[in-house]
């Protein structure tokens, strides 16, 4: 491969890999965030909340690694994109970080609470942190596809709320809605009894409403910048979503989860393909767009990162698949023992 071909190929390769990492995060941590929101949005008693918490207990922290990896890959492969994005969105991203910390702390501390009042407090922290984190991540990803007011140096122009646009708000609601849908799908897949029945009812009735903002976001981006293939991928995403609803109606929980995940993968592929090679558009002047080429690291850095990714990414995926296989059994309220205080000997 010639030096010129390498210069063109490596940024495109890492653009695809970063898109895969963000998509994987939305699928995996998406159902975590959805289950967290449902701790107060649906669960009405302690046994139901403990069932929900135990479904994500073995996997939630591993799923968050996808967010760290996606942000780290963005920093290493596209430092100019990372700098412009995180400097321009420092306020919502700080809020997202605090929400994720609150969510993690609430999961760990809830089980150590001695009273129902403190458990309710941590439940609200878990639900609120999950909702705020999902909204903030969705807003950030929407801005990456719709743009910031960037000048020729890649610096944001305007006040601290220049990022607060209706497109960003739509992206925030898109990820919140998708997370709720994935949360219900995961509950239907991992539980039995009351939670499983509730998942069937909600997905059968409300799934189109959950996915409506995500569909509107995808259609908005593709209508501005896309061609035939992005529209075909959005159509495939719609077909997968319809298949997920049909599977939910017939109580095929596994296919419901796969259908929703496939819908996101196809839709995200269409959106990323529509905006490529732009990684962060400028709303001031198209000449100020950050692209995969002008925002990337050196060829040497990308080459080293590529070899590391080829070796370690399959190992990480294999380990993650093994964890899900180990904890594949369903949970029911009858599996959860009564709450009790453990007194140290």
């Amino acid at each position: 491969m010639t030096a010129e071909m390498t210069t063109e190929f490596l940024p495109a390769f890492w653009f695809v890999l970063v898109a895969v990492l963000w998509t994987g995060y939305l699928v995996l941590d998406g159902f975590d965030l959805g289950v967290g929101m449902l701790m107060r949005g649906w669960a009405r008693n302690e046994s139901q909340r403990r069932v929900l918490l135990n479904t994500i207990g073995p996997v939630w922290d591993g799923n968050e690694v996808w967010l760290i990896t996606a942000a780290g890959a963005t920093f290493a492969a596209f430092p100019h994109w990372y700098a412009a994005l995180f400097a321009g969105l420092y306020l919502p991203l700080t809020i997202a970080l605090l929400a994720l910390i609150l969510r993690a702390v609430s999961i760990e501390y809830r089980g150590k609470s001695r009273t129902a009042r403190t458990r309710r407090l941590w439940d609200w922290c878990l639900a609120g942190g999950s909702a705020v984190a999902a909204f903030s991540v969705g807003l950030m990803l929407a801005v990456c596809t719709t743009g910031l007011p960037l000048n020729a140096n890649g610096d944001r122009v305007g006040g601290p709320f220049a990022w607060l646009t209706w497109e960003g708000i739509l992206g925030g609601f898109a990820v919140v809605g998708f997370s709720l849908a994935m949360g219900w799908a995961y509950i239907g897949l991992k539980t039995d009894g009351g939670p499983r029945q509730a998942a069937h009812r909600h997905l059968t009735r409300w799934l189109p409403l959950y996915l409506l903002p995500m569909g509107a976001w995808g259609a908005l981006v593709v209508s501005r910048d896309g061609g035939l293939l992005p529209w075909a991928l959005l159509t495939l995403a719609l077909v997968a979503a319809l298949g997920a609803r049909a599977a939910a109606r017939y109580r095929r929980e596994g296919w419901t989860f796969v259908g929703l995940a496939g819908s996101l993968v196809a839709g995200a592929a269409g959106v990323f393909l529509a905006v490529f090679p732009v990684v962060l558009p400028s709303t001031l002047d198209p000449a100020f767009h950050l692209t995969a080429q002008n925002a990337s690291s050196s060829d040497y850095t990308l080459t080293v990162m590529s070899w590391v990714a080829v070796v370690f990414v399959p190992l990480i995926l294999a380990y993650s698949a093994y964890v899900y296989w180990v904890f594949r059994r369903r949970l029911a309220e009858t599996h959860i023992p009564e709450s009790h205080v453990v007194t140290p000997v």
Side-chain angles (χ1 to χ4, degrees):
M1 184 178 293
T2 65
E4 184 178 353
M5 292 176 62
T6 300
T7 301
E8 294 179 357
F9 170 75
L10 287 175
F13 171 77
W14 274 96
F15 176 87
V16 172
L17 187 55
V18 168
V20 169
L21 290 171
W22 280 112
T23 304
Y25 171 74
L26 290 178
V27 171
L28 295 178
D29 207 37
F31 70 74
D32 282 350
L33 296 171
V35 172
M37 286 184 269
L38 293 173
M39 287 285 289
R40 293 303 305 185
W42 170 76
R44 294 294 179 264
N45 56 56
E46 178 65 10
S47 62
Q48 290 177 347
R49 295 188 182 101
R50 290 178 67 192
V51 167
L52 298 192
L53 196 57
N54 276 272
T55 61
I56 63 173
V59 297
W60 72 268
D61 47 354
N63 292 341
E64 279 199 353
V65 173
W66 284 78
L67 176 62
I68 299 171
T69 307
T74 305
F75 168 75
F78 302 101
H80 300 295
W81 178 16
Y82 181 93
L85 183 64
F86 279 68
L89 298 177
Y90 64 88
L91 183 58
L93 290 179
T94 299
I95 293 173
L97 179 61
L98 294 175
L100 289 170
I101 293 173
L102 182 63
R103 171 175 171 257
V105 169
S106 63
I107 291 175
E108 298 294 338
Y109 280 20
R110 186 188 190 279
K112 299 174 176 59
S113 301
R114 292 176 175 266
T115 66
R117 181 178 181 180
T118 54
R119 283 194 294 270
R120 283 196 300 271
L121 173 63
W122 290 120
D123 288 340
W124 280 111
C125 289
L126 175 56
S130 299
V132 171
F135 184 88
S136 300
V137 170
L139 185 147
M140 180 200 68
L141 293 175
V143 165
C144 285
T145 57
T146 57
L148 275 175
L150 301 177
N151 61 21
N153 295 323
D155 298 325
R156 187 200 66 203
V157 177
F161 295 97
W163 46 268
L164 190 58
T165 63
W166 70 268
E167 295 99 332
I169 293 173
L170 176 62
F173 282 117
V175 173
V176 170
F178 178 79
S179 297
L180 285 170
M182 287 295 289
W184 276 122
Y186 189 71
I187 290 170
L189 183 64
K190 287 289 294 179
T191 65
D192 212 346
R196 186 182 183 185
Q197 297 298 325
H200 167 70
R201 292 195 303 271
H202 277 85
L203 289 174
T204 301
R205 182 176 300 178
W206 302 112
L207 183 58
L209 183 62
Y210 289 144
L211 298 183
L212 181 61
M214 185 70 78
W217 173 25
L220 172 67
V221 175
V222 173
S223 66
R224 289 179 175 179
D225 305 298
L228 181 60
L229 184 55
W231 277 114
L233 289 168
L234 282 192
T235 304
L236 181 60
L238 176 61
V239 171
L242 294 174
R245 189 185 187 193
R249 181 171 299 174
Y250 290 100
R251 300 177 185 271
R252 302 295 298 273
E253 290 92 353
W255 285 110
T256 302
F257 189 88
V258 170
L260 286 175
S263 178
L264 178 73
V265 170
V271 168
F272 282 113
L273 183 62
V275 300
F276 181 80
V278 177
V279 296
L280 185 57
S282 171
T283 57
L284 300 180
D285 190 330
F288 301 156
H289 288 346
L290 292 180
T291 67
Q293 283 73 32
N294 65 27
S296 65
S297 295
S298 66
D299 291 347
Y300 178 79
T301 300
L302 295 180
T303 300
V304 173
M305 290 174 57
S306 299
W307 282 111
V308 172
V310 167
V311 173
F312 287 102
V313 168
L315 295 177
I316 296 172
L317 293 176
Y319 174 76
S320 300
Y322 174 74
V323 170
Y324 280 95
W325 175 258
V326 170
F327 295 101
R328 66 188 182 278
R329 302 295 183 184
R330 290 182 179 273
L331 290 173
E333 293 181 58
T334 55
H335 297 151
I336 306 298
E338 294 293 330
S339 300
H340 59 283
V341 177
V342 178
T343 304
V345 178

